[in-house]
Amino acid sequence: MLLEVPILIGLMVAAIALAIAAKRASVPYNVALVLGGLLISVAHLLPGVPPLNPQVVFLICLPLLLFEGGIMADLNGIRANAVPIGLLSTLGMVLAIGATGASLHWMLHLAWGPALLLGSILAVTDTVSILYAFRRAPVPGRLSGIIQGESLFNDGTALVAYTAIASVVAGGAAPSLSLLSGHVLLASVGGAVVGLALGLLGGFIIRRAEDPLAEIMVTTAVALASYVMAEEVHLSGAISAVVAGLAVGVTLRREVAPQSQVAIHSFWEYATFGVNTFLFLSVGLDTRPEALQGHLPGVGIAVVAVVLGRAVAIYLPFLLLRLFKPAESIPVRWQHVFLVGNIKGALSIGLALGLPDTTPAREQIVSIAFGVTLVSMVGQGLMLTGALKWLGLFQQDAVALEMAEQRGKLIASRAAHVELDALHSQGLLPRAAYEHLRSEYQVNIARAERELRRISEQHLAEGAKDLLSTRRRLIDAERTALQGARRNGLIPEGTAEEMLAQLDARMLDLEKVLHGGHASLEGKEHKAS
């Protein structure tokens, strides 16, 4: 069902208000949207909002999010951490579903079929929340890369297992471990092949399009087609979309004009922001507290089962990694982050709502999935930053903080100096008082400038990063001026396009320099760990 225009506008206004409130309250954006959606639902502020349609989640939202994750992913980082990422996405996911399902079977007295089915639903991580959190969290680069890589690929394994288990349970048969394992392996490998083929085809077309708008259209078509085509032949659409994104991302970085790269990345950043907003709000809007009341004990037990299942899926594979491949081992305190960061999201709700009506214990499965998702998104979303700090993984750069402090003093002193001159020029301040205050602020300005210069000279890397950040802002200013001149007819269209392309090339060069420095630090962290 399509949203009516007034309801759609109301949701957009709500999302904007919640984004501003989240910023002011220092609350994660996704958590604010979920709580805001729940408040809107309980207070009936937007009557007429249709329930979340699983088909919209699977055929539109999920392909776009996974493709964007692939296209923006650091392929070198994934390749360098392929062993832990692959281990968590395969063995880890199987262990998570099995351990969670077994816990639910014994603690909730669910039959094995529905228990494993609910286990597969709750084993799915919320890729959106994880990418959002760890792209911004100053944690060790290798840790962030493994978590993001696992979140991209484990959904594919979980979705294949869910589909296989759901079809068996809905038919009334008992799930066969060997049959399910073979189906998961075939669907995963086949999905990767489909995604790679479409990604290479999309890259071939993009190289010859030479038009940013057409190239954006190609990436959108590849994102949707890779998922749908794989699903049509009963393969993993999720893995297909991720691999297609990775393949297209390689083409963009190596063979596409800078102007097109900037346009494509800007489009996907906005597209995924819109999809994320819709999904987070939908989790809150679709959660009915009255429907959960009769299942609160089950939700609490399921939360414990999910934690136990995730613990087995993390600590056991990493123990095997330490025993058989020590060079790829992960520090123990890093492993705790995988447990805390195991956030559930709209995908779990979409899977629950998409169950056939003939599924045994369907109402109980749906209610528990909603409850666990709500607890996970709000609880873990709020505690993630604190947990990272408690584990000593939230890296605060002392030099950067010192530079920020001195920069703040410089900005404040200069603003006060300007205001002081204005007061004096208006005759509101005696000459003697003006001279005294002016000399005081000049001393503050000189001291802050001297400290900034000292920090830059003593810490060359931080000074270089600060300079690159300034250059980026200046390039943005140049781009804005050129676009204004083109609109006003001050420079010809061709000249503007050429100069804007040069600015985009300079911007990408800056990004590569910044990324190269970051990668160097990650390498040092990896060796140290």
Side-chain angles (χ1 to χ4, degrees):
M1 180 185 297
L2 296 176
L3 291 177
E4 295 183 2
V5 173
I7 295 176
L8 182 60
I9 294 173
L11 291 175
M12 294 175 69
V13 171
I16 294 169
L18 290 169
I20 296 172
K23 189 75 171 179
R24 297 283 176 85
S26 298
V27 174
Y29 179 59
N30 53 340
V31 175
L33 286 173
V34 173
L35 291 177
L38 183 60
L39 177 63
I40 292 171
S41 174
V42 172
H44 303 288
L45 299 178
L46 282 175
V49 178
L52 182 66
N53 188 334
Q55 295 301 317
V56 173
V57 176
F58 296 144
L59 298 180
I60 299 178
C61 298
L62 185 60
L64 296 180
L65 293 174
L66 293 175
F67 183 84
E68 189 270 345
I71 205 173
M72 300 296 289
D74 177 16
L75 188 58
N76 292 329
I78 292 177
R79 189 183 296 116
N81 299 302
V83 174
I85 290 174
L87 194 62
L88 291 177
S89 302
T90 52
L91 175 62
M93 184 53 61
V94 172
L95 289 173
I97 294 174
T100 304
S103 301
L104 292 168
H105 170 70
W106 288 319
M107 292 191 291
L108 280 181
H109 306 293
L110 278 173
W112 273 110
L116 288 175
L117 182 56
L118 182 55
S120 67
I121 292 173
L122 298 179
V124 175
T125 57
D126 181 39
T127 306
V128 178
S129 295
I130 293 174
L131 293 181
Y132 178 85
F134 285 93
R135 280 178 180 171
R136 293 161 176 80
V139 299
R142 186 179 179 226
L143 172 60
S144 177
I146 295 173
I147 288 177
Q148 293 183 41
E150 186 227 355
S151 70
L152 287 174
F153 286 99
N154 71 358
D155 284 352
T157 310
L159 285 172
V160 174
Y162 160 83
T163 303
I165 296 172
S167 61
V168 172
V169 171
S176 167
L177 181 60
S178 59
L179 182 62
L180 291 177
S181 300
H183 182 71
V184 169
L185 179 62
L186 176 63
S188 301
V189 174
V193 171
V194 173
L196 180 61
L198 288 177
L200 293 175
L201 176 61
F204 176 81
I205 298 172
I206 288 172
R207 287 195 299 270
R208 284 152 181 78
E210 297 183 355
D211 178 10
L213 295 179
E215 290 161 354
I216 289 173
M217 185 70 73
V218 173
T219 60
T220 308
V222 171
L224 298 175
S226 59
Y227 186 91
V228 173
M229 290 182 65
E231 289 291 324
E232 283 294 320
V233 292
H234 306 291
L235 300 175
S236 174
I239 291 179
S240 179
V242 171
V243 174
L246 290 171
V248 172
V250 171
T251 299
L252 291 180
R253 285 186 285 272
R254 292 180 179 177
E255 303 183 49
V256 175
Q259 193 171 9
S260 294
Q261 292 187 45
V262 171
I264 292 172
H265 288 162
S266 298
F267 165 79
W268 279 103
E269 186 175 5
Y270 174 74
T272 52
F273 174 79
V275 172
N276 294 345
T277 301
F278 165 75
L279 289 177
F280 291 138
L281 269 176
S282 296
V283 172
L285 289 168
D286 282 3
T287 302
R288 299 288 185 266
E290 62 275 9
L292 296 178
Q293 289 179 357
H295 297 280
L296 289 180
V299 170
I301 292 173
V303 169
V304 175
V306 169
V307 173
L308 292 175
R310 180 65 171 176
V312 172
I314 294 300
Y315 297 119
L316 183 56
F318 280 146
L319 176 61
L320 296 176
L321 195 64
R322 181 178 291 275
L323 292 176
F324 295 103
K325 203 162 186 180
E328 297 284 350
S329 63
I330 306 296
V332 175
R333 64 190 180 120
W334 286 20
Q335 298 176 27
H336 304 328
V337 180
F338 290 85
L339 190 63
V340 180
N342 182 35
I343 303 173
K344 309 305 168 189
L347 183 54
S348 293
I349 288 179
L351 292 174
L353 292 176
L355 289 173
D357 293 335
T358 57
T359 304
R362 185 182 185 278
E363 181 185 352
Q364 184 180 10
I365 291 174
V366 172
S367 298
I368 290 177
F370 268 86
V372 172
T373 299
L374 184 64
V375 171
S376 176
M377 292 199 74
V378 176
Q380 291 177 270
L382 289 174
M383 69 182 290
L384 182 57
T385 299
L388 292 174
K389 291 180 179 178
W390 182 73
L391 291 170
L393 297 172
F394 205 83
Q395 300 175 336
Q396 293 286 355
D397 193 329
V399 177
L401 290 176
E402 188 178 359
M403 287 192 74
E405 181 182 356
Q406 295 301 327
R407 191 179 293 113
K409 291 180 179 179
L410 181 60
I411 292 170
S413 297
R414 282 180 172 168
H417 192 276
V418 171
E419 181 66 17
L420 183 64
D421 287 340
L423 292 174
H424 179 257
S425 64
Q426 295 170 15
L428 300 176
L429 199 64
R431 180 73 182 182
Y434 168 73
E435 292 291 346
H436 174 73
L437 293 172
R438 181 171 177 270
S439 62
E440 181 179 320
Y441 279 109
Q442 284 179 332
V443 169
N444 291 340
I445 291 171
R447 183 185 297 119
E449 289 178 336
R450 185 170 60 251
E451 285 299 306
L452 284 171
R453 186 165 55 250
R454 178 189 63 79
I455 295 170
S456 296
E457 291 173 352
Q458 291 182 357
H459 304 276
L460 296 179
E462 192 62 39
K465 188 164 64 175
D466 192 56
L467 178 61
L468 289 172
S469 178
T470 303
R471 287 186 181 276
R472 185 189 299 172
R473 292 191 61 176
L474 294 175
I475 289 175
D476 286 337
E478 290 184 56
R479 180 186 289 109
T480 301
L482 282 174
Q483 290 173 338
R486 179 177 61 178
R487 284 194 302 268
N488 295 327
L490 299 177
I491 56 177
E493 183 74 20
T495 303
E497 289 293 335
E498 183 179 351
M499 296 181 71
L500 287 170
Q502 293 172 359
L503 288 179
D504 288 335
R506 287 167 55 192
M507 179 67 80
L508 286 176
D509 288 340
L510 286 178
E511 296 290 344
K512 289 176 182 177
V513 171
L514 285 170
H515 180 72
H518 185 58
S520 176
L521 290 175
E522 289 180 9
K524 293 178 182 177
E525 292 168 356
H526 184 15
K527 292 179 181 177
S529 66

